[in-house]
Amino acid sequence: MLLESLCNAAGPSGYEGEVRELIKKEIINYVDELKVDKMGNIIAHKKGKGPKVVVDAHMDEVGFIITGFNEDGTLRFQALGGINNKIIPSKVVTIGEDKIPGVIGLKPIHLQSSEERKKGISYSDCCIDIGSNSKEETKELIKLGEYVVFPTEYGTFGHGLIKGKAFDDRMGCYVLIEILKESYDCDLYGVFNVQEEIGERGAFVASYNVKPDIGIALEGTICADMPNIPPHLSATEVGKGPAISIMDRTSIFNDDIAEDIIKVAEKNNISFQRRRAIAGGNDAGAIHMSNDGAKIATVSVPCRYIHSSVSVASIEDIENTKKLMIEYLKTL
């Protein structure tokens, strides 16, 4: 299954190669031109008339990078992207292309002082344990700069739900792949960008070169539909359809495009919701600010427990996002 393969693939920021190869093989027969730029972005072109439209999804996921060796054979590390320090202890990880298994270690609560229990967890408090007995042994297996990811495997559970890692933004990648399999009149670029999680770096490069009139980012977005969260603080809800953003940290989205997308949803009886938060940012901000700028929108799949070792989403939400985007692009 394509979505499962995308989510299970390892591809933190700066190390997207495994994901890139999967996508290239999947889309090569559906586009007129396909290239990978120097940054590592995939730019797939379906030639057409009218406005130049970029539909964007980013290939990278949050992860870690190895920054040092401890005398006992454990490893020092830092984040690639925004991972909450509180969720990292005792998580299983894999390191590098060889997928060497490790566990993120932290001093057990029994040995922590009362002050240590009160303060937040920092990366300097943790290490990655690969079962090595010495620094020398670890150095033979792992080099500085190796990437680290959560190895959580994709799976289904409950009523139409899925769980796994990297839903931000492999769900967007899946939707964009499916979009490229259809035919449109507009001049369409499907762009799979790198390094979104560390500052939308790939999107700045791709957008500068493509120079789109319209840019739409496909995302896995924050969701807080939990019992202890007041409804007005739930940015989106799982099962209520794709979320159309109003604004975020880097963008104020174009009202006309948002209204056009909503009209398409209503006409085709596709469930949708508005994203009721302005936190975060995505590639749309980079598209918005490149060259002469572009009109932008973001359409997202709601995702619980985002930027952690495991997330939850709805299959129906993903399929409705795909339907909505295909029908919208056919109106251009």
Side-chain angles (χ1 to χ4, degrees):
M1 180 181 175
L2 176 59
L3 180 59
E4 180 176 357
S5 298
L6 288 168
C7 293
N8 287 347
S13 302
Y15 301 88
E16 299 90 352
E18 188 177 335
V19 183
R20 183 164 46 244
E21 291 308 309
L22 272 172
I23 292 170
K24 284 166 59 182
K25 290 175 185 176
E26 194 69 29
I27 67 174
I28 185 65
N29 294 323
Y30 297 98
V31 299
D32 299 309
E33 296 175 340
L34 189 153
K35 71 174 183 178
V36 176
D37 65 19
K38 292 177 183 177
M39 193 93 179
N41 304 307
I42 299 173
I43 301 174
H45 188 195
K46 290 175 77 75
K47 295 179 180 179
K49 302 172 291 183
K52 189 183 291 186
V53 181
V54 159
V55 180
D56 157 282
H58 65 89
M59 294 183 283
D60 58 317
E61 64 190 282
V62 294
F64 309 98
I65 189 168
I66 299 299
T67 58
F69 304 94
N70 297 316
E71 291 298 327
D72 65 353
T74 59
L75 294 152
R76 297 193 295 275
F77 65 105
Q78 287 294 327
L80 284 172
I83 302 180
N84 187 336
N85 298 3
K86 295 176 182 178
I87 67 96
I88 64 175
S90 305
K91 295 297 189 297
V92 175
V93 294
T94 59
I95 305 170
E97 292 183 2
D98 293 335
K99 303 189 187 303
I100 294 171
V103 175
I104 298 177
L106 177 72
K107 184 193 290 187
I109 194 168
H110 313 72
L111 302 180
Q112 293 177 19
S113 67
S114 58
E115 288 303 311
E116 285 177 318
R117 295 183 191 188
K118 291 175 185 176
K119 77 181 183 91
I121 296 164
S122 70
Y123 281 84
S124 61
D125 295 322
C126 301
C127 63
I128 296 178
D129 184 350
I130 63 166
S132 170
N133 292 315
S134 68
K135 179 191 284 189
E136 291 69 29
E137 183 182 349
T138 300
K139 282 186 171 181
E140 290 179 4
L141 296 170
I142 293 167
K143 61 182 180 181
L144 289 178
E146 286 277 27
Y147 69 80
V148 183
V149 292
F150 300 116
T152 312
E153 292 193 358
Y154 175 101
T156 59
F157 78 117
H159 298 288
L161 299 180
I162 56 174
K163 53 186 174 67
K165 70 169 185 68
F167 286 5
D168 175 16
D169 184 33
R170 303 294 159 68
M171 293 188 292
C173 291
Y174 167 77
V175 170
L176 181 48
I177 289 168
E178 294 299 301
I179 285 169
L180 292 173
K181 294 177 181 179
E182 300 286 329
S183 298
Y184 310 94
D185 291 329
C186 64
D187 198 26
L188 179 62
Y189 289 80
V191 180
F192 301 84
N193 282 318
V194 299
Q195 298 187 36
E196 189 268 358
E197 298 292 0
I198 54 172
E200 296 84 47
R201 298 177 185 181
F204 277 106
V205 173
S207 299
Y208 184 86
N209 288 317
V210 174
K211 301 177 177 66
D213 300 299
I214 295 171
I216 300 174
L218 300 175
E219 269 285 6
T221 196
I222 52 175
C223 182
D225 54 348
M226 298 167 62
N228 59 332
I229 305 294
H232 72 278
L233 293 180
S234 294
T236 63
E237 296 176 70
V238 166
K240 297 293 182 66
I244 302 166
S245 292
I246 299 166
M247 70 172 287
D248 63 22
R249 179 175 48 81
T250 60
S251 307
I252 298 175
F253 299 102
N254 184 272
D255 278 343
D256 292 337
I257 295 177
E259 286 302 316
D260 288 343
I261 293 171
I262 288 170
K263 287 175 184 176
V264 169
E266 291 172 342
K267 179 182 177 181
N268 292 276
N269 295 315
I270 299 170
S271 298
F272 73 94
Q273 57 189 302
R274 298 308 300 265
R275 185 177 184 268
R276 302 181 299 276
I278 62 171
N282 59 45
D283 282 345
I287 298 169
H288 194 33
M289 293 185 284
S290 295
N291 283 298
D292 294 329
K295 295 179 179 180
I296 56 165
T298 291
V299 179
S300 307
V301 179
C303 179
R304 291 176 185 150
Y305 326 125
I306 202 166
H307 282 209
S308 73
S309 61
V310 60
S311 297
V312 169
S314 160
I315 294 172
E316 186 177 26
D317 286 345
I318 298 168
E319 291 303 310
N320 278 329
T321 303
K322 180 178 79 174
K323 291 176 189 175
L324 177 57
M325 287 305 306
I326 288 171
E327 292 301 324
Y328 168 71
L329 291 170
K330 288 184 175 180
T331 68
L332 299 179

